[in-house]
Amino acid sequence: MASTSSIGPMPSKSADLEETWAYLNNGVDLIMNRLETGLSFPDYSSLYSTVYNYCTSTKLAGRQDGNRTGANLVGSDLYNKLHAYFVDHFKPMIDTCESLHEVELLRYYAAQWDRYTTGANYLNRLFTYLNRYWVKRERDEGKKTVYPVYTLALSQWKDVFFKQVQKDNRKLTTAMLRLITQQRNGEIIDQGLVKKVVESFVSLGLDNGDLNKECLDVYKDHFEGPFLEATEEYYKKESESFLAANSVSDYLKKVEDRLREEEDRVERYLHNKTRKELIAKCDDVLIRQHSDLMWESFQSLLDFDKDEDLQRMYALLARIAEGLEPLRKKFEQHVKTAGLSAVSKLIEAGDAGDVDPKAYVDALLEVHRKNSETVTRSFKSEAGFAASLDKACREFVNRNVATGTSSTKSPELIAKHADMLLRKNNKMAEEEDLEGALNRVMILFKYLEDKDVFQTFYTTKLSKRLIHGVSASDESEASMISKLKEACGFEYTNKLQRMFTDMSLSKDLTDSFKERMSQNHDDMDITFSIMVLGTNFWPLNPPPHEFVIPQEILPTYDRFSKYYQTKHSGRKLTWLWNYSKNELRTNYLNQKYFLMTSSYQMAVLLQYNRNDTMSLDELVTATSISKDIMSQVLALLVKAKILINEEKDQYDLNPNFKSKKIRVNLNLPIKADVKAESADVLKAVDEDRKYVIQATIVRIMKARKTMKNQSLIQEVISQISQRFAPKIPDIKKAIETLLEKEYIERVDGSKDTFAYVA
């Protein structure tokens, strides 16, 4: 049985325009309005063939000229018929839209868009021949308002239907914005519907020059612009009313949620290119316009350790230009205040003149630890906050109540703490990881402005540890030197490393001397060890007075001196009796005791091998120790009850001495030594600085040849500031010294310009 066509019989190949279009019009109308009823393949093929037949008709051969084919001539007729069809197609749709509003309008619009674009796609394929030849030729000849059939359909939708609907107070836009506002208010909306309408706005943008290029003109004019305005207005009202009734902390959470929602909105139904402007608008309304309030509340969040709120505030203010700078300044002041306060509490609790190095270091480190964690956790280790932390720490580490006006106090206390850590039997080292404790010392070390003061104190303390054999371990000493070397370079630790070399050489020297003595002398009943230390590397000063060597040790002294000269002729030995120590054995008591003494104590006690009682003056004469130091030495021996002082300045050996310990340590530091140490260190620092400044000036001038005074001073400060903060008067003094020594000279005719003298 033959099938019947739903669009009528196909016209002949020679049919004219009216007959051809009458047939095509039935097919176009079915496709555009009743596609759901179905279009058979034979009908589709007939429609396609009709277009082809008409476009290639030779009936109009008499009108052909040149290379133009039939399609070029008759294509315009079909194109115009299609154009007119689309215009008529929209009339009932426009009428329907007049009575629709809000969601109903959007649903109708979206349904019609789906139906229309589906049909237009079919038409585009039906009129392939028209597109391929006539449309292409027209466009190639510069007629950019002639489109392929599908694009023609979109163009007509925009010009005839879309613009007509939008004339009425942008009906479609208003409906969409109302839906989005409802969603912002927490209501559930049909997001798919909004997405479909938005996609239609995007599709309606046509670039006549390049039809394949995305054009967002319609989307921007009819949706994005109004949407951004509505967004600004909505969030302006909401933020103001929310802040009037809630805390800044709650507001931060609110903003965080809102920004997340807007990001989600872009993903769900907006064009991706709206993201940048939408987020910028939200940042401006929700953050920038309320940034003053956030900055004001920052201090309170810091004071109460509100980590989550700090994280939110940082993340939000980081989104706007210069949003973080006020926070960085406030954070710097907060850390500085915390550091100064911690030291003040420490001083109030103890003696201002005698600060405990451990307590001092612990207080500074605790402030650093707490705020360093804040930088890491709340501010994501951002470089600006890390710099604010460093700046604040540098300030309170170098200048606080404990330091007063002195720039040397902090380096001294930190060096003393390091000394305590590195000593044997140190409770701190036992309780916790020593390596970790040294790393924490280095945290403070990096903030010291006068690193040369620390270096000199550290060197002095290290020399004492090595001389007295009280280092916790060689590994720990080497580890600390390695850390200092990494922080300040080889030159900074050169002396420290040479000190260890001297100790190793001294051990070998002692062993070889003992071996020689065992071969040549049988009467060596004194156990003897020696340290020969390089004058340039050890911060040790010889005693300021003569010293009479007791006859008991004189033979050993002479033998070693001769032995050393045979090994190293031309070297001069300076004996540091003030650093030497001894061990004496008592023979006058029923119980034998071993007394650990200093050389001065040894010299005093050995006098009692020949005397039972001696006066202060007799002891001074016998030993050549100054009266001031002798008084302190005697005071320690009397306190230990080795000597008895019943008459003024008269000292007797105590025949009834008793002690619970067999080994009695009498070698305690005397006040004169403690005071002298700090004075000597600071004096050494001042001397070193003079030479460092002079050497730096010479090095700069050698490289630059000529330099103005101000530039030279600035360059010297720049090069030395890593080691210490040079004072300008000291630099000027060094320049004058170098002028006198003729390392540099003034340039003729210019008072403030110097030249290097080769």
Side-chain angles (χ1 to χ4, degrees), residues 141-287:
E141 290 179 354
K143 296 176 182 173
K144 298 302 181 185
T145 54
V146 173
Y147 306 113
V149 170
Y150 182 75
T151 310
L152 171 67
L154 295 183
S155 171
Q156 291 300 98
W157 175 283
K158 178 179 76 174
D159 293 339
V160 181
F161 175 61
F162 176 78
K163 287 183 178 177
Q164 186 63 37
V165 175
Q166 282 288 75
K167 265 185 185 177
D168 185 7
N169 293 319
R170 293 200 168 187
K171 221 170 172 184
L172 287 167
T173 306
T174 305
M176 282 207 291
L177 294 181
R178 189 159 284 126
L179 269 187
I180 293 171
T181 300
Q182 287 171 3
Q183 188 180 37
R184 283 174 174 156
N185 290 337
E187 297 176 37
I188 295 171
I189 66 165
D190 184 349
Q191 295 181 112
L193 177 61
V194 179
K195 182 179 176 68
K196 196 167 282 184
V197 177
V198 164
E199 285 174 348
S200 83
F201 282 26
V202 172
S203 298
L204 293 177
L206 298 177
D207 184 333
N208 287 336
D210 182 359
L211 297 178
N212 293 319
K213 184 178 175 185
E214 184 178 62
C215 176
L216 298 176
D217 290 353
V218 174
Y219 173 77
K220 284 183 173 294
D221 292 345
H222 290 269
F223 177 74
E224 187 181 86
F227 168 70
L228 292 174
E229 284 176 21
T231 299
E232 180 175 17
E233 186 182 345
Y234 181 88
Y235 283 130
K236 198 166 187 179
K237 283 181 184 172
E238 182 184 73
S239 59
E240 286 169 2
S241 61
F242 189 89
L243 278 167
N246 297 275
S247 68
V248 172
S249 290
D250 291 336
Y251 180 68
L252 296 174
K253 291 176 196 166
K254 182 76 172 174
V255 173
E256 199 174 54
D257 290 342
R258 282 306 198 185
L259 290 172
R260 203 178 297 116
E261 285 172 22
E262 295 305 320
E263 287 278 4
D264 187 52
R265 197 177 318 287
V266 175
E267 292 295 327
R268 288 182 182 277
Y269 53 74
L270 302 183
H271 190 278
N272 199 43
K273 287 193 176 164
T274 301
R275 172 182 271 105
K276 189 176 178 183
E277 289 192 52
L278 171 61
I279 299 307
K281 182 70 73 179
C282 292
D283 287 347
D284 181 60
V285 179
L286 295 172
I287 303 171

Side-chain angles (χ1 to χ4, degrees), residues 307-323:
D307 279 335
E308 286 186 13
D309 291 337
L310 287 171
Q311 287 172 35
R312 282 194 193 93
M313 185 175 285
Y314 166 80
L316 294 176
L317 287 170
R319 299 168 71 102
I320 64 171
E322 301 303 315

Side-chain angles (χ1 to χ4, degrees), residues 248-249 252 292-302 313:
V248 172
S249 290
L252 296 174
D292 286 347
L293 202 57
M294 294 188 196
W295 293 333
E296 283 170 24
S297 65
F298 179 66
Q299 187 61 53
S300 170
L301 300 183
L302 281 175
M313 185 175 285

Side-chain angles (χ1 to χ4, degrees), residues 607-704:
Q607 301 305 315
Y608 290 92
N609 278 341
R610 295 169 288 282
N611 305 282
D612 289 330
T613 181
M614 290 188 78
S615 68
L616 175 61
D617 291 337
E618 286 170 338
L619 286 167
V620 168
T621 304
T623 61
S624 290
I625 299 169
S626 67
K627 188 174 277 191
D628 179 40
I629 292 176
M630 177 60 80
S631 298
Q632 293 188 58
V633 170
L634 289 169
L636 278 170
L637 293 173
V638 169
K639 187 177 180 182
K641 297 181 181 175
I642 297 287
L643 298 181
I644 301 170
N645 174 216
E646 292 177 339
E647 297 175 37
K648 188 183 179 188
D649 293 345
Q650 194 67 32
Y651 297 88
D652 303 338
L653 190 64
N654 180 8
N656 300 315
F657 174 76
K658 283 184 181 177
S659 172
K660 291 178 181 177
K661 294 179 180 177
I662 301 297
R663 297 175 68 82
V664 182
N665 182 25
L666 303 173
N667 190 9
L668 302 171
I670 58 176
K671 286 181 184 176
D673 287 346
V674 176
K675 284 182 181 174
E677 181 185 279
S678 289
D680 289 345
V681 166
L682 299 179
K683 187 178 176 185
V685 167
D686 286 339
E687 284 301 311
D688 282 348
R689 284 185 176 182
K690 286 179 191 173
Y691 295 123
V692 168
I693 293 172
Q694 288 178 26
T696 305
I697 293 170
V698 171
R699 190 165 59 246
I700 293 167
M701 291 303 298
K702 189 174 182 181
R704 302 286 184 87

Side-chain angles (χ1 to χ4, degrees), residues 173 314 323 445 509 544 548 564 626 742:
T173 306
Y314 166 80
F445 173 80
L509 184 63
V548 177
Y564 190 76
S626 67
E742 297 184 353

Side-chain angles (χ1 to χ4, degrees), residues 518-569:
S518 66
Q519 293 167 1
N520 300 347
H521 301 279
D522 296 333
D523 59 344
M524 277 280 288
D525 64 343
I526 294 176
T527 304
F528 171 83
S529 65
I530 188 78
M531 295 179 200
V532 179
L533 313 173
T535 308
N536 292 334
F537 308 114
W538 292 74
L540 307 174
N541 298 313
H545 48 73
E546 293 296 317
F547 180 66
V548 177
I549 300 168
Q551 62 190 46
E552 285 85 351
I553 65 168
L554 196 54
T556 307
Y557 168 83
D558 288 335
R559 285 169 188 168
F560 180 78
S561 297
K562 287 171 186 171
Y563 171 74
Y564 190 76
Q565 287 305 319
T566 60
K567 283 181 74 78
H568 305 285
S569 62

